[in-house]
Amino acid sequence: KTMSGDTYFVEQYETKDKQIIRRLVFGSNTNVLQTEVEVSKKGAIKNTLVSRYHAAITSGLAAFSKLTKDSNICLIGLGGGALASTLLDLSQRQTKLTVIELDQVIVSVAQDWFGFRTEDTKQILVTDGLTFFDEIHDNYDAIVVDVDAKNPGVGLSCPPVTFLQSDYLCKLARSLKNGGLIVYNLVARDPKALNAAIGPMGSFPTNFADVAVLRPDPD
């Protein structure tokens, strides 16, 4: 179990194309895959960019920002560490990456099962991503919010609604460099919940010059 008492499962299966896929699922939100990676027959992690959502996040960073190998990125939510590893790999492990993860157990899961190496990041902080930006710690080129919701009954699987409230968005905006980018992994199968989640982002034109929505999966 995690420190919050949630259960987690590390599952492994073989696709019809003979790919071996390992994934992380939380008991509180079994409809959402936290992490998927491809594993070799010897157990080594072959490819961390299996998730279409993570592919969309990295594509968004590349398309809408001026990130370089020296960019300073903050990732809220570690999961199995696949997205963090991909961000580091794309920059040849020279990006300054700060990872914020609420649960130390999840950090261990990422290391033990998904090949995440904490020494490659600028720093990994076990703390609450909601309060981390109460004081500006740094000016980031990009902030990525990839946090699952523990109450999917509200129609939003990722992130919790508290991460979409106006005051939190303002904190993120204050922590960005000029021209910086915020990327959310937003999972909602209820159209009303999706529109409600996107709405606050577009209501701050002084903080966010543009708001774009990428839909990697029609589901």
Side-chain angles (χ1 to χ4, degrees):
K1 288 187 176 183
T2 66
M3 294 177 68
S4 66
D6 196 1
T7 55
Y8 69 87
F9 308 91
V10 177
E11 305 172 339
Q12 188 163 301
Y13 67 97
E14 185 173 306
T15 69
K16 61 182 180 180
D17 299 323
K18 303 300 182 182
Q19 285 182 304
I20 301 174
I21 303 297
R22 183 178 296 165
R23 60 191 188 184
L24 173 65
V25 180
F26 290 148
S28 61
N29 198 352
T30 56
N31 291 325
V32 174
L33 300 179
Q34 299 301 318
T35 296
E36 282 187 297
V37 297
E38 184 181 356
V39 183
S40 71
K41 292 184 177 180
K42 294 184 178 181
I45 304 300
K46 292 177 59 178
N47 178 17
T48 60
L49 200 58
V50 174
S51 166
R52 285 171 288 186
Y53 292 96
H54 286 169
I57 289 172
T58 54
S59 297
L61 286 170
F64 295 102
S65 64
K66 299 178 181 178
L67 298 181
T68 68
K69 66 181 182 180
D70 297 318
S71 294
N72 194 8
I73 300 175
C74 183
L75 172 61
I76 310 300
L78 177 64
L83 179 57
S85 295
T86 297
L87 292 174
L88 290 167
D89 287 341
L90 291 176
S91 67
Q92 298 179 335
R93 299 195 171 265
Q94 296 184 59
T95 291
K96 300 174 184 176
L97 179 64
T98 298
V99 179
I100 310 301
E101 170 54 49
L102 181 63
D103 200 313
Q104 179 62 50
V105 172
I106 299 304
V107 177
S108 299
V109 169
Q111 292 176 288
D112 295 342
W113 292 98
F114 295 94
F116 179 68
R117 303 200 302 268
T118 56
E119 66 270 17
D120 286 334
T121 66
K122 178 185 177 185
Q123 57 181 341
I124 181 163
L125 303 176
V126 180
T127 188
D128 192 341
L130 275 176
T131 59
F132 177 72
F133 296 100
D134 287 351
E135 297 181 5
I136 298 176
H137 296 263
D138 212 337
N139 288 319
Y140 298 101
D141 296 283
I143 298 172
V144 180
V145 181
D146 187 21
V147 183
D148 78 300
K150 300 300 183 185
N151 183 19
V154 300
L156 194 64
S157 298
C158 297
V161 292
T162 47
F163 282 83
L164 295 166
Q165 293 177 349
S166 300
D167 59 342
Y168 187 71
L169 291 170
C170 287
K171 292 176 187 178
L172 296 188
R174 289 197 301 267
S175 301
L176 284 177
K177 295 180 181 178
N178 290 334
L181 181 71
I182 296 172
V183 180
Y184 272 84
N185 183 6
L186 205 161
V187 181
R189 290 179 174 171
D190 181 344
K192 291 182 179 180
L194 177 62
N195 292 332
I198 296 173
M201 299 181 188
S203 65
F204 286 91
T206 57
N207 291 331
F208 304 104
D210 298 289
V211 176
V213 180
L214 302 179
R215 299 177 185 268
D217 194 324
D219 185 9

